[in-house]
Amino acid sequence: MKGFRKNLIFVTLGIISPISFHSLKVNAGSFGAEIFCTMRDGGNDHESSWDAAYTYIKKQKGGIFKVSPKQAAAQITESVIRDRETFSYCVEYLDKLHPNRKLIRDLEKEEERQEKEAKDRESKRKRLEKELEETNEEFSDETLERYSY
């Protein structure tokens, strides 16, 4: 009978604890959204508002695993969408939380292409300098002197 009670306690804790952690996550995301939206509406820039909200969400989450910026942004977005009446002024700021991933990839590719071109130009310049030095070494001072008869 004691073994049954022990198992019942563990099963009960196993069921209750995820529910309480989930509600903590929802509350953290909701208040994180409130922080973000209030700061943005108050005239603060995106970075400071995002940092404040993300720091709060990370702090409230607790546990072993950290909240990634993508997860925090998703929590804020979810809270704003779920409670549109309260956060109606905040919808316009959500695009900054989820930047255009394709645009970012394109910019990174362009930057890589420019770096590669710069390296290619540098290697060509070095190769030409080396060839010029080799060519100059082939000529002696006598052949370069114009008036040597």
Side-chain angles (χ1 to χ4, degrees), residues 53-101:
Y54 181 51
T55 302
Y56 176 80
I57 291 171
K58 281 194 309 187
K59 237 182 197 183
Q60 294 302 312
K61 172 73 167 57
I64 298 171
F65 300 107
K66 301 284 185 208
V67 177
S68 74
K70 286 182 182 179
Q71 289 171 326
Q75 287 178 9
I76 291 172
T77 303
E78 181 181 338
S79 296
V80 169
I81 298 302
R82 281 181 192 249
D83 199 4
R84 275 181 247 155
E85 294 82 33
T86 306
F87 296 116
S88 61
Y89 60 93
C90 192
V91 174
E92 65 184 288
Y93 305 125
L94 293 180
D95 66 329
K96 295 275 189 173
L97 289 176
H98 303 282
N100 187 345
R101 305 286 184 223

Side-chain angles (χ1 to χ4, degrees), residues 9-27 61:
I9 291 172
F10 286 126
V11 168
T12 305
L13 287 175
I15 292 172
I16 292 174
S17 60
I19 293 170
S20 63
F21 286 135
H22 178 68
S23 65
L24 180 65
K25 181 178 123 179
V26 170
N27 290 338
K61 172 73 167 57

Side-chain angles (χ1 to χ4, degrees), residues 64-145:
I64 298 171
F65 300 107
K66 301 284 185 208
V67 177
S68 74
K70 286 182 182 179
Q71 289 171 326
Q75 287 178 9
I76 291 172
T77 303
E78 181 181 338
S79 296
V80 169
I81 298 302
R82 281 181 192 249
D83 199 4
R84 275 181 247 155
E85 294 82 33
T86 306
F87 296 116
S88 61
Y89 60 93
C90 192
V91 174
E92 65 184 288
Y93 305 125
L94 293 180
D95 66 329
K96 295 275 189 173
L97 289 176
H98 303 282
N100 187 345
R101 305 286 184 223
K102 184 180 183 308
L103 177 63
I104 291 172
R105 280 193 306 271
D106 291 346
L107 290 174
E108 287 173 353
K109 284 180 183 177
E110 178 65 22
E111 188 176 309
E112 288 174 8
R113 186 186 62 77
Q114 289 176 353
E115 287 175 4
K116 184 180 180 209
E117 284 179 358
K119 286 179 184 178
D120 289 345
R121 282 193 303 269
E122 183 66 22
S123 65
K124 283 181 183 179
R125 186 185 63 78
K126 286 181 180 180
R127 184 176 46 84
L128 287 172
E129 283 178 355
K130 185 178 178 183
E131 288 178 10
L132 184 61
E133 286 176 10
E134 290 173 357
T135 305
N136 285 340
E137 288 174 1
E138 291 176 7
F139 293 107
S140 66
D141 287 336
E142 291 177 13
T143 56
L144 292 178
E145 183 126 359

